[in-house]
Amino acid sequence: MNKPLRRIAIFCGLLVLALLVRANWLQYVEAEKLNTHDKNRRVLIERYADERGNIIVDGKPITGSVKTDSADFAYKRTYVNGPMWAPVTGYASQVFGANQLEKLEDGILTGNSDQLFFDRTMAMFTDDEKKGGNVVTTLNGAAQKAAFEGLGSKKGAVAAIDPKTGKILALASTPSYDPGAFAGSATADETAWAKLSSKDNKEKPMLNRALREVYPPGSVFKVVTAAAALEHGKVDDINAKTDTEEPYILPTTRTPMKNMVRGCENATLKYALQISCNSVFAKLGDEVGRDKMLETVKKFGFNNDELDTPVRAAMSRYNESMDRPGNSLSSIGQFDTATTPLQMAMVAAAIANDGKLMKPYMVDQLVAPNLDVISKTKPQEMSRPLSSENAQLVRDMMENVVENGGGRKAALGDGVKVGGKTGTAQHGEKNSKRPYAWFISYAMTDDGSPVAVAVVVEDSGASREDISGGGLAAPIAKDVMKAVLDSKR
Amino acid sequence: MSVVTNTTTIGAIDAPSRRNTELMLLGIAVAIAVFAYVNVGLAIDGKLPAGVFGYTAGITLLAAVAHLVVRKFAKYADPLLLPLAVVLNGIGLVMIWRLDQSKRLIKRAEAAWGSFSPDAPKQMLYSAIGIALFVGVLVLLKDHRILQRYTYISMAVALVLLVLPMFFPARNGARIWISLGPINIQPGEFAKIIIAVFFSGYLMVKRDALALASRRFLGLYLPRGRDLGPILVVWAMSILILVFETDLGTSLLFFGMFVIMLYVATERTSWIVFGLLMSGVGAVGVASISPHVGARVDAWLDPFDCATAACDQVSNSIMSFGAGGTLGTGLGQGNSDLIGFATNSDFILATVGEEFGLAGMMAFLMLYGLIVERGIRTALAARDPFGKLLAVGLSGAFAIQVFVVAGGVMGLIPLTGMTMPFVAAGGSSVIANWALIAILIRISDTARRPAPAPAPSSDAEMTQVVRP
């Protein structure tokens, strides 16, 4: 009976060998894949196992961590003034994942990033508790506060940029939400999340309107058209009369272009911007032509679907294949043109910065737990949408809007020059919906411009007639610019 | 070893008993278990666990008693079997104690039953009962051949044990338990040993009939109907267990054991072909009918993409192994308790995988492999067919059980819900496996015992023994 016995011995050996092979497969070959699997709760447990690093504004953290008695998660994320900063921080929830900076910089915040390998190793030897690194933002607390409080109970967004560097100074969106409301894993967190993220919630509080929503820009887009006309030599003198008939008929159609104001016939470019003539700019857009318009708007940052701040902004668009009347309408910010508040702030910033567009960013530094700087973002030039001389001409016109036009409410006085442009963008079928109130502006001091702002108020309690960029949005822009100027002093 | 080939013409040379080797290995086994216990305490609380002296004393005492009994009653037994069982049982206790400290499992138990009772003290008690049974077997069973007398009684007892759970309510989807007041017994674990005794007795008598009285058909030896009868009975029985008790593991275990023993007894490969065919037909048939088994097959095919409890367990178990990586997270520092239900019983190997890592897993599997191969070595050395069959039956059953459980939790084969011998929490399992080791030790003692000195024979010098 020994021969079959030996064979059984081999068979049993093969069974054990199969188990050994399987163990090697799971624990060596597949280990990495399993450890990063979506369903692997260890990823979450690890994320909250140690005190998470903070997101810093003006040297102070706007986030925090508290110890919890949960079996899985040692720490829970907390937020200082959560609703105000939510468009910047995003959220980090034990149950519902993370987004925006909390997600993009997760490696630094948890301390698991390869960039922190040395710190981790050192902490192991010194027996320190493992801690995450910090993310230092470019934001300006006072400007953010002004933006958030200016929007108040209105629905809308504010984006403010430092034109010289591209640093994002304010990024507000209302109605907002408190990311701390669902940071934990209790039932209350679940309820809060369900309520906030529900599709039935028309307020869409979790939408980051400053970065991730596109609006028709309306009249504020005329600044871009003016820049394109100057760049492509269609206008040399902003004080010369244009050859614009009243009413202006859209090219190749019989549709007259409506003006909301009188006095647009043959108006100068400067005056047309001051009183916001649709006809002048529609005609100008047609003269520049779709392709040349595209050339300029792309330099301003339109039609770029990879604009990362590092949180990716939604793509602002200018239609690449429309016909002449379409292009004409798009030139006054209607038809197919749509833009994020950040994009319009970039337009104002490029004009304020002598035609040089800096890439917007909001992470200034990544800092290790021991406060060593791991990386620092260098300002980066993105493009030059217009020449220095033409930028000066557009600024003349925009400053005129604030001095004599619809932007008076944004004036700051004190020797600070403010240039701006109002917009009231109609939308909806046959313009049935409440129009969006827009305002873009910049402040200019002796040593250049410290801030450019874009404000959009999507909806407000004001009656339809009262909605205007100058009335609703300009005061918010003024407060934001003032906050930045005050903090510089 | 050389003297075991017994010829009466050569005088017996006293074989080394190897008892001191066993003692030394036992010392190492106990030391490993105690170190593991201290390690868990330091990792979880940062200090020596309160029960360290009790645990050390307990496991040392159990090992010492077992060793002394072997030294006295089974002097020539294989020196590896006992230390291997002790180290597995010792580490198993540590792992169960480690999982008792898990906040997650405590919360879970409190939510489900209102209270949490640690399993480690119970397991310590069961281990003591197991060692007591081990001692009882070695003391009372002077010669394993006595068991031959109980061939048919064994069959009756085994049948009763296997059928009984059908009359008790199912727990967690399988009817494999007998509940007597506070005591829950898994009769399958004991039936494993008893049925091996029956098979050995039956096959020893019938092996010639099964091997020789058969017709050749398509290159296979087809047995006669009347000899095929018992095989069909076993096949039907394992299917019945599968259908009524939804216990895939036990039915696979019995059938596999029977096929192995038939093959060894008859030396005919055709039995293996029959065995595989029949188990294949049975398994596929039942898997497509029983939703419980079907769910487990689904969980095996794609553990990450289904929503059943079995899926959740298997996927978490697989992620535990992944989390362990090459060197493991260290004792007490893994998250294998995420598996939730049955973490310290059926799925305890996942904790081993996560906290000892691949290195520890391989060592662990080798320990099991060594027990199996020492068992088969015992079968090779045994001089009587009954002993050979019983040793290979028990070792084969042990090997299949290890493969089925470990393969199940590692996602190699569908999950079946048996226990990892010695390591998993569970009284029936640990007690029955100690009895199994005792019987193997008894057989190995008989096999390695030097032959008695031959009676002096005047012919001896003139006789030439010619061996083939």
Side-chain angles (χ1 to χ4, degrees):
Chain A
M1 287 200 285
N2 283 356
K3 198 169 151 196
L5 269 177
R6 288 178 207 282
R7 287 197 180 137
I8 295 297
I10 292 171
F11 168 70
C12 291
L14 287 177
L15 288 186
V16 175
L17 185 69
L19 293 177
L20 287 173
V21 169
R22 178 67 179 174
N24 274 278
W25 175 254
L26 283 182
Q27 305 200 261
Y28 186 78
V29 181
E30 292 266 270
E32 186 61 34
K33 204 177 117 199
L34 289 169
N35 285 334
T36 50
H37 197 280
D38 303 340
K39 291 198 175 171
N40 200 334
R41 211 167 154 72
R42 287 172 186 76
V43 179
L44 275 179
I45 291 172
E46 172 64 22
R47 177 175 290 156
Y48 298 103
D50 306 289
E51 207 172 325
R52 197 171 163 81
N54 284 319
I55 297 175
I56 311 272
V57 171
D58 293 338
K60 280 177 295 211
I62 52 170
T63 56
S65 287
V66 285
K67 253 204 173 298
T68 66
D69 57 355
S70 150
D72 280 0
F73 307 112
Y75 289 93
K76 186 177 109 165
R77 195 57 149 167
T78 58
Y79 294 88
V80 181
N81 214 341
M84 181 167 105
W85 289 111
V88 178
T89 57
Y91 57 80
S93 161
Q94 291 172 351
V95 180
F96 306 106
N99 77 352
Q100 302 192 22
L101 281 191
E102 291 274 34
K103 182 173 188 183
L104 291 167
E105 303 298 351
D106 193 52
I108 293 292
L109 292 168
T110 55
N112 290 337
S113 162
D114 288 341
Q115 291 170 292
L116 291 173
F117 177 77
F118 185 70
D119 290 84
R120 274 205 304 278
T121 317
M122 285 310 289
M124 219 162 75
F125 285 117
T126 55
D127 210 24
D128 285 341
E129 208 155 292
K130 192 182 137 204
K131 239 186 121 193
N134 292 337
V135 174
V136 179
T137 67
T138 60
L139 281 110
N140 178 316
Q144 179 78 5
K145 191 158 181 268
F148 186 68
E149 285 175 359
L151 286 168
S153 59
K154 302 184 272 288
K155 194 189 270 191
V158 174
I161 301 179
D162 177 349
K164 282 180 282 190
T165 55
K167 284 181 180 174
I168 294 177
L169 300 172
L171 209 58
S173 169
T174 52
S176 191
Y177 67 100
D178 184 3
F182 53 88
S185 48
T187 324
D189 297 87
E190 237 163 88
T191 320
W193 168 265
K195 207 174 142 201
L196 285 169
S197 61
S198 158
K199 282 203 176 96
D200 301 332
N201 193 336
K202 291 214 175 79
E203 299 290 299
K204 290 194 202 154
M206 293 180 68
L207 175 66
N208 184 347
R209 293 176 168 79
L211 281 183
R212 308 277 320 152
E213 178 72 309
V214 290
Y215 300 93
S219 301
V220 289
F221 193 77
K222 287 170 184 162
V223 174
V224 177
T225 308
L230 288 166
E231 272 298 289
H232 296 287
K234 298 297 168 193
V235 179
D236 299 320
D237 183 358
I238 57 170
N239 292 311
K241 279 191 188 296
T242 56
D243 181 22
T244 316
E245 59 273 26
E246 182 72 30
Y248 171 67
I249 309 292
L250 283 175
T252 74
T253 69
R254 293 183 182 178
T255 318
M257 167 60 79
K258 274 186 198 151
N259 279 320
M260 299 292 172
V261 287
R262 291 166 182 276
C264 289
E265 191 170 3
N266 297 331
T268 64
L269 193 59
K270 190 171 178 177
Y271 186 64
L273 196 76
Q274 180 188 327
I275 63 170
S276 204
C277 291
N278 288 345
S279 56
V280 174
F281 285 94
K283 181 162 185 280
L284 209 50
D286 186 51
E287 279 167 12
V288 176
R290 185 190 69 203
D291 294 340
K292 290 211 165 125
M293 277 298 288
L294 266 170
E295 193 187 315
T296 301
V297 298
K298 278 185 183 171
K299 281 188 194 162
F300 273 114
F302 281 79
N303 292 12
N304 175 1
D305 58 2
E306 286 183 1
L307 185 61
D308 297 330
T309 70
V311 178
R312 181 162 291 183
M315 186 180 88
S316 302
R317 60 173 191 268
Y318 191 85
N319 194 319
E320 305 208 0
S321 55
M322 58 195 161
D323 55 10
R324 276 182 68 195
N327 177 53
S328 220
L329 280 168
S330 292
S331 302
I332 60 165
Q334 293 182 1
F335 193 61
D336 214 12
T337 309
T339 157
T340 59
L342 176 77
Q343 174 61 59
M344 288 322 292
M346 285 160 68
V347 168
I351 290 162
N353 194 36
D354 287 334
K356 202 199 286 179
L357 177 60
M358 302 302 288
K359 187 176 185 301
Y361 66 97
M362 60 172 153
V363 173
D364 187 37
Q365 294 175 4
L366 299 178
V367 179
N370 64 1
L371 303 182
D372 281 351
V373 175
I374 302 166
S375 78
K376 185 169 168 61
T377 314
K378 284 200 192 83
Q380 203 183 331
E381 188 180 321
M382 206 169 142
S383 62
R384 281 175 196 259
L386 67 169
S387 69
S388 176
E389 298 77 37
N390 287 338
Q392 182 59 53
L393 291 175
V394 178
R395 282 208 295 276
D396 280 353
M397 295 193 284
M398 287 175 76
E399 279 155 26
N400 180 45
V401 170
V402 173
E403 274 161 38
N404 307 309
R408 283 186 200 92
K409 288 189 175 171
L412 282 165
D414 267 359
V416 179
K417 274 193 255 173
V418 174
K421 178 72 192 89
T422 58
T424 309
Q426 316 222 309
H427 69 120
E429 224 166 288
K430 291 189 177 164
N431 302 333
S432 54
K433 295 191 181 159
R434 284 173 173 283
Y436 297 130
W438 271 97
F439 193 74
I440 63 169
S441 68
Y442 61 86
M444 187 67 81
T445 60
D446 294 340
D447 25 311
S449 169
V451 57
V453 194
V455 178
V456 61
V457 178
E458 207 176 303
D459 197 1
S460 68
S463 69
R464 196 181 168 102
E465 289 70 35
D466 294 343
I467 296 173
S468 74
L472 277 175
I476 301 173
K478 177 188 165 183
D479 290 347
V480 173
M481 290 189 293
K482 189 164 184 302
V484 174
L485 285 166
D486 287 349
S487 61
K488 292 260 169 188
R489 276 175 195 145
Chain B
M1 276 313 153
S2 59
V3 290
V4 175
T5 50
N6 188 31
T7 56
T8 50
T9 51
I10 300 165
I13 303 164
D14 217 9
S17 76
R18 296 278 184 194
R19 289 284 63 81
N20 292 334
T21 310
E22 183 182 83
L23 183 61
M24 188 190 76
L25 290 174
L26 269 177
I28 297 174
V30 169
I32 291 174
V34 170
F35 274 127
Y37 187 66
V38 171
N39 187 346
V40 172
L42 288 175
I44 293 181
D45 298 325
K47 57 177 194 279
L48 279 184
V52 69
F53 294 108
Y55 178 77
T56 310
I59 195 160
T60 310
L61 185 71
L62 290 181
V65 166
H67 172 70
L68 289 176
V69 170
V70 171
R71 201 175 262 271
K72 175 89 173 69
F73 292 94
K75 197 179 165 208
Y76 293 95
D78 189 296
L80 266 173
L81 286 168
L82 181 61
L84 286 170
V86 167
V87 74
L88 287 173
N89 199 344
I91 292 181
L93 275 163
V94 172
M95 300 316 273
I96 293 165
W97 181 74
R98 176 256 171 280
L99 289 169
D100 279 345
Q101 320 297 311
S102 153
K103 278 188 203 156
R104 254 176 232 133
L105 294 181
I106 292 173
K107 275 195 177 174
R108 201 191 137 84
E110 279 169 352
W113 296 291
S115 69
F116 170 77
S117 70
D119 282 320
K122 288 184 233 162
Q123 186 76 357
M124 193 79 191
L125 179 68
Y126 294 138
S127 304
I129 297 174
I131 300 270
L133 188 59
F134 174 88
V135 169
V137 169
L138 285 184
V139 171
L140 297 178
L141 189 69
K142 295 276 188 241
D143 187 336
H144 62 269
R145 278 167 293 194
I146 298 168
L147 291 173
Q148 272 184 76
R149 294 179 204 157
Y150 305 109
T151 301
Y152 291 96
I153 295 177
S154 302
M155 184 185 76
V157 172
L159 278 177
V160 170
L161 281 179
L162 285 177
V163 171
L164 264 183
M166 287 186 205
F167 302 104
F168 288 88
R171 302 167 96 210
N172 314 317
R175 282 174 205 275
I176 52 174
W177 299 85
I178 304 176
S179 307
L180 302 168
I183 305 164
N184 293 303
I185 300 170
Q186 241 180 315
E189 292 282 349
F190 297 98
K192 174 173 77 183
I193 298 171
I194 296 169
I195 217 162
V197 171
F198 158 64
F199 284 160
S200 308
Y202 177 82
L203 292 173
M204 196 190 70
V205 178
K206 295 277 184 175
R207 54 191 283 240
D208 291 336
L210 284 167
L212 303 171
S214 52
R215 285 159 296 159
R216 213 175 143 81
F217 180 73
L218 290 177
L220 290 173
Y221 290 97
L222 279 184
R224 293 184 306 191
R226 69 178 114 144
D227 301 321
L228 199 62
I231 293 147
L232 291 175
V233 168
V234 171
W235 179 68
M237 201 167 73
S238 47
I239 296 289
L240 279 178
I241 295 171
L242 188 49
V243 172
F244 288 102
E245 300 177 10
T246 55
D247 187 3
L248 185 63
T250 308
S251 50
L252 200 70
L253 179 65
F254 291 143
F255 202 70
M257 179 162 77
F258 190 47
V259 169
I260 287 177
M261 292 173 79
L262 259 175
Y263 171 62
V264 172
T266 60
E267 307 192 27
R268 289 259 185 255
T269 323
S270 47
W271 287 109
I272 294 183
V273 177
F274 284 127
L276 290 179
L277 273 178
M278 282 158 86
S279 56
V281 169
V284 169
V286 172
S288 49
I289 296 168
S290 159
H292 182 75
V293 177
R296 290 184 159 186
V297 171
D298 288 343
W300 166 60
L301 290 175
D302 194 352
F304 292 105
D305 196 32
C306 58
T308 58
C311 269
D312 203 39
Q313 281 183 308
V314 173
S315 61
N316 265 308
S317 167
I318 287 176
M319 287 188 285
S320 267
F321 284 103
T326 313
L327 293 176
T329 56
L331 274 169
Q333 295 175 313
N335 286 307
S336 60
D337 45 2
L338 285 172
I339 296 168
F341 175 68
T343 306
N344 71 2
S345 51
D346 297 19
F347 282 91
I348 194 147
L349 201 65
T351 306
V352 174
E354 179 159 358
E355 304 198 342
F356 286 94
L358 177 59
M361 265 304 282
M362 294 211 281
F364 223 74
L365 292 171
M366 293 309 283
L367 291 180
Y368 282 110
L370 270 177
I371 290 185
V372 173
E373 297 299 331
R374 290 318 287 183
I376 295 175
R377 186 76 193 76
T378 297
L380 275 169
R383 288 166 236 179
D384 62 307
F386 178 78
K388 273 183 187 300
L389 284 171
L390 186 54
V392 77
L394 292 176
S395 315
F398 195 87
I400 291 173
Q401 183 160 358
V402 168
F403 177 75
V404 165
V405 187
V409 298
M410 289 200 275
L412 184 61
I413 57 169
L415 188 68
T416 53
M418 277 197 297
T419 52
M420 208 65 200
F422 292 115
V423 179
S428 312
S429 171
V430 81
I431 294 169
N433 282 306
W434 272 115
L436 186 150
I437 293 293
I439 295 172
L440 282 181
I441 282 184
R442 168 55 68 222
I443 300 173
S444 76
D445 174 54
T446 314
R448 292 159 53 95
R449 189 179 291 277
S457 161
S458 54
D459 300 341
E461 259 139 66
M462 292 177 286
T463 310
Q464 283 288 331
V465 177
V466 181
R467 294 177 62 79

